[in-house]
Amino acid sequence: MSRRGGTAPDRAQRGVATRTALIAAARELFVTKGYFATGTEEIVAKAKVGTRGALYHHFADKQALFRAVFEAVEEDLLARAITDDVAPDAWQQLVAGLQGFLTAALEPEVQRIILVDGPAVLGWNDWRELEARYGVTVIEAALEMAMDQGTIRTQPRRELAHLILAAVDEAALLVAHSDDPEAARRNASEALGQLLEGLRQ
């Protein structure tokens, strides 16, 4: 006999669907209006999930929902970088991926959620921690392969990965906050390229 609301799998499936709808609705609103100008009532209405109780069942508060949106955007960026990975060696793949992130900084979604509202909503420390979670491991793996291939000299990988991530994050922030983002991207791309070229043997 099923309990009220259907079987446990049915309830779990509805829960996943509700959470997905909330993230999708918030993602769109946070991009178009910004986190601070978006109310929870708007998110619930756009997601068509009933009342705010549904939101608070899945997320502690609006900030927790923003974090889920932030992670979804980061995961999409990572998946895109892997899909676009066509460079012939590990070092060129890494450089292409980092340059791709600077280009992505021109996109409204990445610009608003990751680079503008991200640090303000999550706080600098949490923002840095999330950026490191999605970036350092990938960069470190590429560095290890590049060192094995002899493209760059052997050196502490994790520390170098953090330094590279900090540089590209800072460059992306410059792009996102510039009055002329396209020009800023071109300049940042050139500077990043020169910086990375200096690591080659």
Side-chain angles (χ1 to χ4, degrees):
M1 177 183 292
S2 66
R3 298 180 180 178
R4 184 180 177 185
T7 64
D10 288 340
R11 292 194 300 275
Q13 188 174 9
R14 285 199 303 272
V16 169
T18 298
R19 189 177 192 280
T20 301
L22 286 165
I23 291 173
R27 186 169 176 166
E28 184 176 335
L29 288 168
F30 290 159
V31 173
T32 56
K33 299 185 65 176
Y35 173 85
F36 297 103
T38 300
T40 52
E41 298 89 347
E42 292 177 273
I43 296 169
V44 168
K46 188 166 191 62
K48 300 178 181 176
V49 296
T51 67
R52 284 191 299 172
L55 189 155
Y56 294 121
H57 176 74
H58 292 278
F59 303 98
D61 51 26
K62 189 173 80 163
Q63 185 183 44
L65 175 56
F66 178 86
R67 185 184 180 101
V69 169
F70 184 100
E71 292 186 2
V73 175
E74 285 280 14
E75 287 165 7
D76 286 350
L77 277 172
L78 185 57
R80 190 196 312 175
I82 293 170
T83 301
D84 292 345
D85 191 359
V86 294
D89 62 47
W91 181 250
Q92 291 180 40
Q93 289 169 10
L94 175 60
V95 172
L98 295 172
Q99 293 286 6
F101 181 61
L102 286 185
T103 299
L106 295 171
E107 299 172 9
E109 183 175 71
V110 174
Q111 196 171 101
R112 170 68 84 167
I113 292 174
I114 301 297
L115 300 169
V116 175
D117 283 351
V121 176
L122 299 171
W124 189 254
N125 289 336
D126 282 353
W127 181 78
R128 278 291 190 197
E129 186 273 327
L130 283 170
E131 283 292 277
R133 181 192 304 172
Y134 286 98
V136 167
T137 302
V138 174
I139 294 172
E140 187 177 1
L143 288 173
E144 182 175 13
M145 291 178 63
M147 290 174 196
D148 289 344
Q149 293 168 355
T151 309
I152 60 174
R153 67 178 179 82
T154 301
Q155 55 193 293
R157 294 189 307 272
R158 187 130 188 108
E159 291 76 8
L160 182 56
H162 275 279
L163 288 171
I164 291 172
L165 178 64
V168 75
D169 272 346
E170 201 60 37
L173 287 169
L174 283 171
V175 173
H177 291 279
S178 174
D179 292 333
D180 187 347
E182 181 55 52
R185 185 205 61 79
R186 288 195 302 270
N187 292 336
S189 177
E190 181 180 353
L192 180 64
Q194 293 293 328
L195 182 67
L196 294 172
E197 187 62 26
L199 294 172
R200 290 172 62 90
Q201 293 204 100

